[in-house]
Amino acid sequence: MLREITRHLITLVIFVTFQQLLWLTLSAYEDSLFCDTFHSEEPGWRECNICTKRLHCGCIASKFLLELLDYGGVGCSSCARSSRLHSRLIKLHVHGFEDFGCLDDSSESISGLLPVPHIQCDEIPNGFGSLTRNNAGDMESIPVESTVAANDNDEGGLAQLCRLIEASEPSLLHPSERANTNGCLGQFRQEEIRHAIGDIGTGFSNMTLPSIVSSKFTKADNMSSLLDMGDMHSSLSEPSLSMALGAPSGTTNFAPFPGGAVEGREQGKTPSSFQQGQRSRPILPKPSKLGLLASSENNKGSASELRIARPPAEGRGKNQLLPRYWPRITDQELQQLSGDLNSNIVPLFEKILSASDAGRIGRLVLPKACAEAYFPPISQSEGIPLKIQDIKGREWTFQFRFWPNNNSRMYVLEGVTPCIQSMQLKAGDTITFSRIDPGGKLVMGFRKSTNNNEDAQDAQASGLLDGTASGETSLSADGYIGWNNSENHGGGINGDLLQQITTPTEKKRTRNIGPKSKRLLMHSEDAMELRLTWEEAQDLLRPPPSVKPTVVTIEDHEFEEYDEPPVFGKRTIFTSRSPGRQEQWAQCDDCSKWRKLPVDALLPPKWTCSENAWDSSRCVCSVSEEMTPKDLDNLLRVSKDFKKRRILESQKRFQDCEPSGLDALASAAVLGDNIDDSGEPSVGATTKHPRHRPGCTCIVCIQPPSGKGKHKPTCTCNVCMTVKRRFKTLMLRKKKRQSEREAETSQKDNMDHKEPEVNGTMSHEALHINNPETAVSQSKMQTEKPETSAGQIDLNCHPNREDMPLDMPGLTTMNLVDMGNTHLDSYIKENGLSSLVWDQQGDQTQHSGESLRRLSDEAFLASIGWTHESRRD
DNA sequence: ATGGTGCATGTTTAC
DNA sequence: TAAACATGCACCATG
């Protein structure tokens, strides 16, 4: 690590030193600067085609081992290996930069070549390239724009260089190195790095082809290979090249901007660009992340399609359009589209769908500038219906409107859900808007992001879905305006060529990553998964080992407080095969055998038989299980029942403390909330579980101590009101279900008596009792289908219970239990199960006893209107 | 209970 | 720092 840092620092110093020397030397030449387009007038001198400034290449070469080439470019004066390249590339071959791979003649990389595209005369002093390494490990150069280099004086060369390296090759520096670098320089702000990225990216975006070429054609001095590859990619690259270079596009119908890309604020910043653009000067749009995208996409491989952000077409206020909304359509796509539609397609803008855009609300937020530029003007908030044709020719009518927002407007397209769904778009995909000329008909298309959701989320969370989001991989050529692969109309585009790979480093910048953004996109499935995982985790929480809790007594109630966070423990199950005797069982991680443990045993996350300190006879995996498989099945089932019974026991404890009916309900609610019905193994036998910590806002913790007389029937505290409200709701719901069920039952009776009531709830209960296996599965079903469960339980309720007043003073847990048992007895007798008698002492066989207890538990829960569903509430 | 609507608000980004 | 924008949320309508 240290060596790496040192190596980089040395490299930086050398690099900067060289840069400073170059600067000084070039400055000495004053007007003798060179351009990327120059011609030879006399030996040793080159003159810029544009500004006619002259550069005596020989002097430079002699000092810096550079030389200008007759056919354009700069080569190493010693090896001349990099002497030939595209005329718009200036290549610097710098000795002494072995670290970047130069001077390695055998290297397959572009080592040591510093193509500096579009260098203009006034850029040369700062126009030094830094190196980056593309995905394939090839070396590429990244031009340093004047804006960055201008800071050189402020930050110092080293800082700039570090920044450039950082920006151009985030992976080059290890994070720690990065930190060190930042630290030592003390002035590297992420912001600046970001700008550097943008700057560099812009350069790339404008040198798309050259950069690719230079990176791909490792024998860069081999013009033939360049040409060969150029032929191979000519269809792809040339149009983009022409676009990128700002040359008048003769190969595309897309030429809607008289001023090219240099417009708006760009004009002010690069005034010469416009002029030069008239002379086939490269377009130098404002540095933007877009450029980074282009560059990143350009890095993706030799066969990458070049998706260049196009400056917007003419429109109102088009000058204010952010580059992120610039349409990125390849000329190839454009040509194909125009051909397919037999018209001239004018890309207007595009937008990456946000979660809310793609959501069910059906509102697509339009970029304000885009909406005002390309959509009809609207003065009323209600807006106007806007017809937009999709790529299948279907015409959609959206409501184009706006909302007042902070003295501004927020434009939306309403009613886009059907369209979005028909295109099967999701957050992260890009929707595009184009115009068909003549006629001005609006057309919408899309580009699918083949990345998964999390990528989109990443990008979204990190604010990268603004054009730099690289979720748009595998961009279909047809897809720009909606021709997805399945609907490919042909066009001879090799899909493979369009595969684009995104590097993580391009996706994620140091900014906006992490919890800073609260807008993490979480899809429902993910949220559900997370929730379940969280719940599972909750069940596995254990008090921190070897940490004694601080017992705080508040109004006669003891609360355990832990200074340490809880720890995860191994899942165990609790059961009570005989009355009053609780057991804990754990499964060995090695042999999967179940071992019995003391109830109070807490296991680490990983536990094996060898750690079974409580049973020396079963402390090795080779020893058989204590239980038969059948017992094991029962055990698992009983475990679930045990959990439910704990509810009863806890409620009994509350009842012993003279609880009111509300207390019982509240207690049930609390327990129900905390003890899920999932049948999952429970934590140790303590109700003061460690999850309740200071600051916890769960219902247990916010509830005032419910000691004696704390909650009277007339109490209107939040807890009581909540419980009352919930109870009332449950009763109403229950009553409704009851009536529905009665109607259903009577209807069934009238219809058919032949078919046994297999699907009826009673049969289910009977099966529970007669068939333990079924009982287990059914029990599981109950867990998974709370509604069904509730339905079953309802049959056990006392008919009069429906009218039971909420505040009935006599409503105690014991009453409820009694009622439940009464109902159960009735139910059993009614169903011919009189042989199975509820035995409080547990003298029954294990199966029936547990089943009955379970039924009793369920009956109790039902009797208080407490269903799985309500517990989840 | 669910979904639509309009607006408010917090976050991000560009200047 | 202000504008833009993504999303939250209250309110209302509907089933």
Side-chain angles (χ1 to χ4, degrees), chain A residues 825-838:
Chain A
D825 290 339
S826 304
Y827 165 70
I828 290 172
K829 290 172 184 173
E830 288 170 6
N831 289 277
L833 302 170
S834 55
S835 60
L836 302 174
V837 180
W838 171 254

Side-chain angles (χ1 to χ4, degrees), chain A residues 434-451:
Chain A
S434 303
R435 191 180 63 217
I436 300 178
D437 281 341
K441 191 175 186 62
L442 291 172
V443 184
M444 62 190 301
F446 65 89
R447 279 202 311 275
K448 296 284 289 182
S449 165
T450 56
N451 266 6

Side-chain angles (χ1 to χ4, degrees), chain A residues 385-398:
Chain A
L386 190 63
K387 291 182 179 178
I388 303 179
Q389 183 180 321
D390 73 4
I391 42 87
K392 293 179 181 174
R394 288 176 299 189
E395 194 169 77
W396 302 86
T397 302
F398 308 121

Side-chain angles (χ1 to χ4, degrees), chain A residues 39-56:
Chain A
H39 62 275
S40 174
E41 289 182 334
E42 52 187 295
W45 287 90
R46 301 293 179 270
E47 181 175 357
C48 174
N49 285 331
I50 297 170
C51 65
T52 70
K53 289 176 181 176
R54 304 175 76 203
L55 168 70
H56 194 284

